[in-house]
Amino acid sequence: MTKSIAQKQPGSSAEDRFLWLEDRNSKEALEWVHRQNALTVGELQGDPSYRAAFETALDLMTAEDNIPVGAALAGHVYNFWQDKTNALGLWRRTTVASYKTEKPEWETIIDFDQLSAKEGVKWVFGGASRLYPDFDRCLLSMSPDGGDASEMREFDIVTKSFVADGFRAPASKSGFSWLDKDTVIVSAAFAEEDKTQSGYPRVIKLWRRGTRLEDAEPIFEGEKHHLAVGGGVEFDGDKRHVLLGKTIDFFTSHSFLRLPSGENRRVPLPDDATDTAIFKGQLVFGVRSPWTAPDGTRCLPDGLYSVDFDRWIETGTFEPIETLLKPERRVSIAGLARTQDRLFINLMDNVRGKVVVCDRTDKGWSLKPVGLPGNGNVGISHAEHFGSSVSFSFTDFLTPSSIIWSDDDGVTVKTAKSQPARFDASPYVSEQFEARSKDGTMIPYFVVRRRDQEGPVPALLYGYGGFEVPLLPGYAGIRGRLWLERGNAYVQANIRGGGEFGPAWHQAALKGKRQKAFDDFAAVAEDVVRRGITTAAQLGIQGGSNGGLLTGVSLTQRPGLFGAVIIDVPLLDMLRYTDLPPGASWIAEYGDPSKPEDAAWLASYSPYQHVAADAAYPPVLLMTSTADDRVHPGHARKMAARLQAAGHARTLFFEETEGGHGGRGDRRPQAAQTAMRYVFLQRALSTGPKSGSRFSDNPVLD
């Protein structure tokens, strides 16, 4: 039986010899990071194929003919744009009419490269809350390092300048929205007493112009153990609702309506309500588990329901409940969006998208499909809340993305923007298969490969499987150029834990049932091998964040099933994840390691504790970011250190110093990391070991 390091060094911090790597910015930890980076850069960027891969990735990330995705508001389309000249990007706008032309005339609102040069901080745009009804003022969010924590400043869009003596708050994970032109709703996470244990806002305050942030008036509070609170104004025609909410955990919350009297009245929805919207006096909602409403209506997951919200405000009567959309097998709700006069429902039907438009009259609800392309990934790109414009995105693995626009609530639609093809897709085919998991459940997955493929080829399998997040078909020019064009295959697995088939698909792998997601992923890997698409030695896997946990578990549980493993911005030490902020926010997904029962199932798969000295692991590449304030870089650091200490020298580690969890900011480091991943895969899966490299059987350790 394999003797693992976990037996010698259990998960307690007292016995964790690499605990010091959790100190994000300590001199000792960063020196270790720099040594690891130097080795990995030398190995991967030193490869003869790297430079061309980097240039290709950067060219495609910053191409001037990329689609400028935008959202319409009061006659303008707003867009954030990055290219080679504008590394940190431009926030800009154009008229709706100009946007539809081949070469829109853009008006720059903020040049973040210029601002960063002026202030000596690499500001990363994080969004803007615009002031109703003129939308000429905004609360601008900017991150100093690409992380989630952002600074807020009031900005005048007309004069293109920050407002002198306007609202301004230091970098934090707080949230800001307008109540009116002189009052901001602040979801505060500044002082420790204002934060939840996950580091998110716990208190909502009203901040009035001309007063100090410290003197803002508290109006709503959550508990320390809650995930977060948040608040904002929702408009329904000429009615304005101030909504406040307590997010208990990732999947349960309590919503409140703030009345003119100052009372915060709880909206009597179930704790796990989802997909909510206020539309023409109706509160639309879905549920994650079956719920019997006050009037006896049985509400089921994957359905949509509504209740007269205006009546509830006036009388307190939360009935009758109407069924807006009945549940259907393997059809789930991807999201809701509304214009002034229509409600749009984005659906997933067996991992393919479609959109339904809804209207509400005195006779009730009416629904009809929007005339969009089928058999691909269709999404709602934007819906103008105070107007009638709506746009949709369409793509699949072999079809470049396009934006389909409507100015009349989806009645007539026309393609407004199409991304040029980045590779010749004609030799390839996209197929959907199913694999039988360990418990008999059929797991769908997609394969993209050459239609004339004969015999197994190197393949990359990608997965996620968590937090109700679906993996949908999508075009990726970089993947086409750097992977498919080399004769390789791409596989995307729709494992349990994700949101492809609604809440039940997610809940099937929740907490103590997590092993099902790992079994699903292994079943897909075995199935592509069985079909002759690839071999175990030629199969690489990749996942990020929760997907990094997936690939970390796959490495330690089934090392012989894969030829290379990429682990991006991962969770890996599941016995200490709640001690690394904001890990406590994910207890509803994984469980609480401080509870013996939960600790038992977490310990059963936690990759960090299951590194085995005598296992035959394939080459591993771990990537993270010092600035990642969502998943702590300590996970990837410690895993790399433990693998190397156990003698697994084919372990590479790279840590970017900026960019946060999602790699926001300058595209150049993103392109470099992308190129290194493909170089790593190509070397590990297509070539034999190179003498003196970390892909050889006996490389020299640092």
Side-chain angles (χ1 to χ4, degrees):
M1 180 177 289
T2 298
K3 186 177 183 180
S4 73
I5 288 184
Q7 293 171 303
K8 300 176 183 178
Q9 300 177 23
S12 70
S13 59
E15 297 172 317
D16 185 351
R17 61 182 285 202
F18 300 112
L19 193 67
W20 55 276
L21 286 170
E22 292 181 2
D23 191 341
R24 186 190 302 268
N25 294 307
S26 75
K27 183 175 183 293
E28 185 181 20
L30 290 179
E31 286 177 348
W32 179 90
V33 167
H34 296 325
R35 290 196 300 271
Q36 294 287 326
N37 282 358
L39 290 165
T40 299
V41 166
E43 184 75 34
L44 299 180
Q45 294 191 15
D47 187 278
S49 66
Y50 168 78
R51 176 49 56 177
F54 167 74
E55 294 293 348
T56 296
L58 184 60
D59 286 347
L60 294 183
M61 286 181 178
T62 59
E64 293 187 3
D65 57 1
N66 282 335
I67 292 179
V69 177
L73 182 64
H76 286 92
V77 176
Y78 290 79
N79 162 260
F80 179 69
W81 179 258
Q82 291 174 279
D83 55 29
K84 286 185 178 179
T85 303
N86 304 285
L88 294 175
L90 305 172
W91 188 36
R92 59 187 190 171
R93 69 179 183 177
T94 188
T95 64
V96 172
S98 181
Y99 179 76
K100 296 177 183 178
T101 66
E102 185 175 347
K103 293 185 177 181
E105 296 181 2
W106 292 101
E107 171 193 1
T108 297
I109 302 171
I110 300 180
D111 183 325
F112 282 93
D113 292 275
Q114 289 185 4
L115 178 65
S116 298
K118 177 182 177 181
E119 298 191 355
V121 178
K122 294 184 70 173
W123 291 115
V124 176
F125 181 52
S129 172
R130 274 152 287 186
L131 177 62
Y132 174 88
D134 298 325
F135 308 110
D136 55 354
R137 290 280 182 100
C138 68
L139 302 174
L140 186 72
S141 174
M142 308 183 300
S143 169
D145 57 10
D148 290 346
S150 295
E151 180 174 312
M152 185 279 289
R153 300 185 201 175
E154 185 178 1
F155 188 84
D156 188 316
I157 294 175
V158 176
T159 64
K160 301 180 179 61
S161 62
F162 294 109
V163 176
D165 300 321
F167 292 106
R168 180 167 180 167
S172 72
K173 291 188 178 183
S174 302
F176 304 89
S177 61
W178 293 103
L179 178 64
D180 56 48
K181 65 183 179 63
D182 291 319
T183 314
V184 170
I185 300 172
V186 182
S187 303
F190 299 103
E192 283 304 313
E193 61 267 23
D194 287 345
K195 298 178 183 178
T196 64
Q197 64 180 0
S198 300
Y200 294 111
R202 189 190 64 82
V203 183
I204 298 179
K205 304 178 181 182
L206 294 183
W207 183 14
R208 293 177 174 83
R209 188 177 299 279
T211 66
R212 300 189 311 162
L213 176 59
E214 295 84 352
D215 297 329
E217 174 193 357
I219 61 168
F220 187 80
E221 293 189 8
E223 301 296 330
K224 194 73 174 177
H225 64 273
H226 290 166
L227 173 56
V229 299
V233 176
E234 179 79 11
F235 288 90
D236 184 22
D238 59 358
K239 297 175 182 176
R240 187 182 76 156
H241 302 296
V242 179
L243 298 174
L244 311 174
K246 297 178 181 178
T247 303
I248 310 302
D249 56 43
F250 251 88
F251 314 109
T252 60
S253 62
H254 297 163
S255 297
F256 296 79
L257 176 68
R258 185 165 178 82
L259 301 176
S261 65
E263 175 193 351
N264 299 324
R265 183 195 292 180
R266 169 112 185 251
V267 181
L269 288 172
D271 289 358
D272 65 352
T274 184
D275 298 311
T276 57
I278 300 174
F279 177 70
K280 292 190 175 182
Q282 294 283 309
L283 173 61
V284 177
F285 65 94
V287 293
R288 290 188 171 92
S289 57
W291 179 63
T292 301
D295 67 349
T297 301
R298 188 69 168 162
C299 301
L300 300 174
D302 302 317
L304 280 176
Y305 306 88
S306 74
V307 66
D308 191 327
F309 193 60
D310 290 344
R311 181 186 180 195
W312 172 74
I313 294 172
E314 293 175 8
T315 69
T317 303
F318 202 72
E319 57 183 38
I321 302 294
E322 298 181 44
T323 299
L324 170 55
L325 184 75
K326 293 181 179 180
E328 293 185 50
R329 184 180 180 274
R330 290 225 158 182
V331 176
S332 59
I333 300 163
L336 306 178
R338 60 158 297 177
T339 59
Q340 186 166 288
D341 296 316
R342 296 291 186 274
L343 178 69
F344 294 86
I345 308 172
N346 196 177
L347 298 172
M348 289 180 292
D349 187 346
N350 200 25
V351 205
R352 292 175 170 86
K354 60 183 180 182
V355 177
V356 176
V357 60
C358 314
D359 192 13
R360 174 78 184 183
T361 66
D362 294 340
K363 297 180 180 180
W365 291 101
S366 64
L367 291 78
K368 62 180 179 180
V370 179
L372 299 170
N375 212 32
N377 179 9
V378 176
I380 302 170
S381 183
H382 100 282
E384 188 177 8
H385 194 95
F386 302 100
S388 58
S389 74
V390 58
S391 62
F392 310 92
S393 60
F394 177 81
T395 185
D396 60 33
F397 290 113
L398 299 174
T399 304
S401 302
S402 60
I403 296 294
I404 302 168
W405 193 276
S406 172
D407 287 315
D408 55 8
D409 293 311
V411 176
T412 58
V413 295
K414 183 178 181 180
T415 299
K417 301 288 179 185
S418 295
Q419 181 176 293
R422 301 309 191 191
F423 62 97
D424 179 6
S426 61
Y428 304 98
V429 62
S430 173
E431 304 163 289
Q432 189 178 31
F433 299 109
E434 288 188 324
R436 186 178 299 277
S437 194
K438 189 175 182 178
D439 65 358
T441 302
M442 301 307 294
I443 310 302
Y445 68 93
F446 292 96
V447 176
V448 185
R449 57 175 172 165
R450 290 189 63 89
R451 63 179 71 249
D452 61 355
Q453 178 183 333
E454 296 181 3
V457 298
L460 172 60
L461 168 60
Y462 188 86
Y464 187 78
F467 295 94
E468 285 189 8
V469 175
L471 287 185
L472 304 173
Y475 186 84
I478 295 173
R479 183 172 63 225
R481 292 279 297 278
L482 299 185
W483 188 247
L484 295 177
E485 284 190 347
R486 298 190 178 193
N488 305 319
Y490 175 73
V491 184
Q492 189 163 289
N494 300 118
I495 65 177
R496 284 173 287 183
E500 288 84 352
F501 302 115
W505 196 250
H506 166 247
Q507 293 161 10
L510 198 62
K511 292 188 174 181
K513 297 178 283 188
R514 200 75 187 178
Q515 185 60 43
K516 293 183 184 295
F518 310 139
D519 292 342
D520 293 354
F521 197 63
V524 172
E526 291 170 336
D527 204 59
V528 294
V529 171
R530 181 184 63 80
R531 293 177 186 273
I533 295 170
T534 190
T535 65
Q538 293 173 295
L539 179 59
I541 57 174
Q542 180 184 4
S545 193
N546 174 76
L549 171 62
L550 171 68
T551 53
V553 172
S554 299
L555 170 72
T556 54
Q557 289 189 354
R558 301 294 301 275
L561 190 53
F562 313 106
V565 177
I566 297 177
I567 304 173
D568 288 327
V569 290
L571 289 89
L572 294 167
D573 185 349
M574 298 307 291
L575 297 183
R576 277 187 54 76
Y577 85 91
T578 53
D579 295 315
L580 299 175
S585 64
W586 309 317
I587 287 175
E589 179 78 12
Y590 301 118
D592 187 348
S594 69
K595 297 179 179 178
E597 180 184 0
D598 296 17
W601 72 58
L602 290 164
S604 71
Y605 69 77
S606 181
Y608 183 61
Q609 283 76 25
H610 284 272
V611 172
D614 56 352
Y617 293 136
V620 183
L621 173 62
L622 295 106
M623 286 189 158
T624 188
S625 167
T626 313
D628 191 342
D629 53 2
R630 196 176 311 169
V631 177
H632 196 285
H635 285 278
R637 292 175 179 180
K638 294 201 306 178
M639 187 70 170
R642 178 161 282 188
L643 283 164
Q644 292 171 1
H648 302 294
R650 295 187 299 174
T651 299
L652 296 174
F653 174 91
F654 182 81
E655 181 172 317
E656 187 54 70
T657 57
E658 59 187 45
H661 189 63
R664 299 188 301 161
D666 194 333
R667 296 294 195 189
R668 287 167 294 194
Q670 297 173 39
Q673 291 179 62
T674 297
M676 286 194 287
R677 290 185 187 98
Y678 281 112
V679 169
F680 168 79
L681 287 170
Q682 204 69 46
R683 286 161 61 96
L685 303 179
S686 303
T687 63
K690 296 185 178 182
S691 176
S693 81
R694 285 200 164 197
F695 292 89
S696 65
D697 292 329
N698 297 293
V700 177
L701 285 172
D702 61 307

